[in-house]
Amino acid sequence: GKVRAPTHIISTISDDRGDEPCYAGVPMSTIIERGFSVGDVISLLWFKRSLPRYCTQFIEICIMLCADHGPCVSGAHNTIVTARAGKDLVSSLVSGLLTIGPRFGGAIDDAARYFKDAHDRGLTPYEFVEGMKKQGIRVPGIGHRIKSRDNRDKRVQLLQQYAHNHFPSVKYMDYAVQVENYTLSKANNLVLNVDGAIGSLFLDLLSGSGMFTKQEIDEIVEIGYLNGLFVLARSIGLIGHTFDQKRLKQPLYRHPWEDVLYTK
Ligand code: ACO
Ligand code: LMR
């Protein structure tokens, strides 16, 4: 029989060896001829399957809604400072991306993990939130610097509206909203934020679409695919901020002394 030399790499998502590249077995010509969307391509390369239209559209909505949130947020600020230091596009982009984490944009996976665990264990919002407090952990997906009960995040509302209209079930989102109702009784800014909305709704997408086994859902949540949505989305805005600063020929940034408390 054939002797197969051992390989150093295993890859399962794409293949460039034939006449045309394939994403999860789907040839590029099919992707173009059938008018696949960016959401379809993400489904193939991240989830290794074609997802129904309402799911790919949801993925695209997440990307559009998270593409930018102005120049003042951590990521854009870093990118702007880096671009103004004369650095190139990739340096400016990654400098912004490096701020994505547990406080900013990168709380989606943890929100999904904690909401799923608390929901599946049947914890009441009170038990969940107070349990987190005892452990000294802020509830991922809850809280915002400028959004509050009286100044809701439109992105969250749009995601919820879409899911209500298209998802077969929104049980995780409903749970997240119950948690929000409880945290809002503690402080006005403890709203369900965009990370928490995406985290809980992606659980609904995974479990309600019938496209994933329970084991696959656990793996997706455990590995942490979902922060990838924010990273991908915000790259669009960070690239835009880089071009903006270059176009405006902005000089080296230096933070004003008056805005620093020098103290011993
Ligand atoms: N869970 C429980 N309590 C909270 C939470 C939370 N998620 N957020 C704030 N609080 C409470 C705490 O008591 C906190 O006091 P502490 O510093 O002793 O923990 C108190 O509110 C003060 O918080 P604020 O100063 O009002 O909050 P801040 O503006 O500093 O933080 C932030 C905003 C970073 C988003 C925070 O709410 C948080 O860490 N949330 C969890 C992470 C998260 O979801 N981040 C994504 C935000 S959306 C985005 O970036 C796209
Ligand atoms: C964002 O999308 O960057 C934000 O929700 C964070 C912020 O403080 O506005």
Side-chain angles (χ1 to χ4, degrees):
K2 278 187 185 167
V3 178
R4 183 93 172 80
T7 62
H8 293 95
I9 287 180
I10 304 174
S11 172
T12 68
I13 60 165
S14 58
D15 192 340
D16 61 318
R17 291 169 303 172
D19 294 350
E20 55 180 323
C22 290
Y23 293 165
V26 181
M28 198 53 63
S29 49
T30 305
I31 289 172
I32 301 306
E33 281 157 18
R34 297 212 189 139
F36 277 33
S37 65
V38 170
D40 289 311
V41 170
I42 292 171
S43 303
L44 293 174
L45 291 176
W46 293 12
F47 300 105
K48 294 179 39 172
R49 71 203 71 191
S50 282
L51 291 173
R53 176 88 181 110
Y54 81 86
C55 297
T56 58
Q57 211 174 345
F58 177 76
I59 291 173
E60 293 194 351
I61 289 172
C62 291
I63 291 170
M64 290 189 284
L65 292 180
C66 294
D68 198 41
H69 209 232
C72 302
V73 305
S74 306
H77 181 83
N78 259 23
T79 288
I80 289 170
V81 171
T82 308
R84 288 181 56 168
K87 302 289 299 253
D88 59 293
L89 172 63
V90 176
S91 306
S92 305
L93 169 63
V94 297
S95 151
L97 288 178
L98 286 172
T99 64
I100 297 175
R103 293 181 185 166
F104 167 67
I108 309 179
D109 284 311
D110 272 344
R113 287 184 191 118
Y114 281 106
F115 285 143
K116 182 171 189 307
D117 178 68
H119 170 276
D120 294 356
R121 285 198 292 133
L123 296 187
T124 63
Y126 169 84
E127 289 168 332
F128 170 49
V129 174
E130 295 306 322
M132 295 288 277
K133 194 174 171 188
K134 270 196 196 117
Q135 297 174 70
I137 305 170
R138 287 181 172 198
V139 181
I142 293 286
H144 200 275
R145 266 285 158 100
I146 59 166
K147 295 295 169 188
S148 65
R149 184 205 297 275
D150 312 312
N151 173 27
R152 292 303 180 110
D153 192 329
K154 189 71 185 171
R155 299 169 297 177
V156 172
Q157 293 175 329
L158 290 167
L159 288 165
Q160 290 174 324
Q161 214 172 346
Y162 180 86
H164 267 303
N165 292 339
H166 296 91
F167 282 23
S169 154
V170 287
K171 63 178 182 179
Y172 287 107
M173 188 193 82
D174 283 346
Y175 184 71
V177 170
Q178 285 174 35
V179 170
E180 177 190 46
N181 286 337
Y182 179 66
T183 53
L184 278 177
S185 71
K186 292 171 154 261
N188 250 346
N189 72 328
L190 294 185
V191 287
L192 180 66
N193 61 42
V194 73
D195 282 11
I198 294 176
S200 56
L201 282 170
F202 227 92
L203 292 173
D204 285 320
L205 182 154
L206 294 168
S207 62
S209 63
M211 299 294 293
F212 298 89
T213 65
K214 202 183 155 305
Q215 201 182 347
E216 285 174 330
I217 296 172
D218 287 344
E219 189 183 49
I220 287 166
V221 171
E222 191 193 309
I223 290 176
Y225 284 34
L226 306 182
N227 286 344
L229 287 169
F230 193 90
V231 171
L232 180 62
R234 195 50 60 93
S235 294
I236 299 173
L238 297 179
I239 290 170
H241 283 292
T242 307
F243 295 157
D244 195 36
Q245 295 305 307
K246 303 274 182 203
R247 197 167 45 226
L248 293 166
K249 299 193 178 13
Q250 288 298 284
L252 180 67
Y253 179 80
R254 198 173 196 282
H255 202 74
W257 279 322
E258 309 81 70
D259 192 38
V260 176
L261 173 65
Y262 291 93
T263 182
K264 288 227 164 71

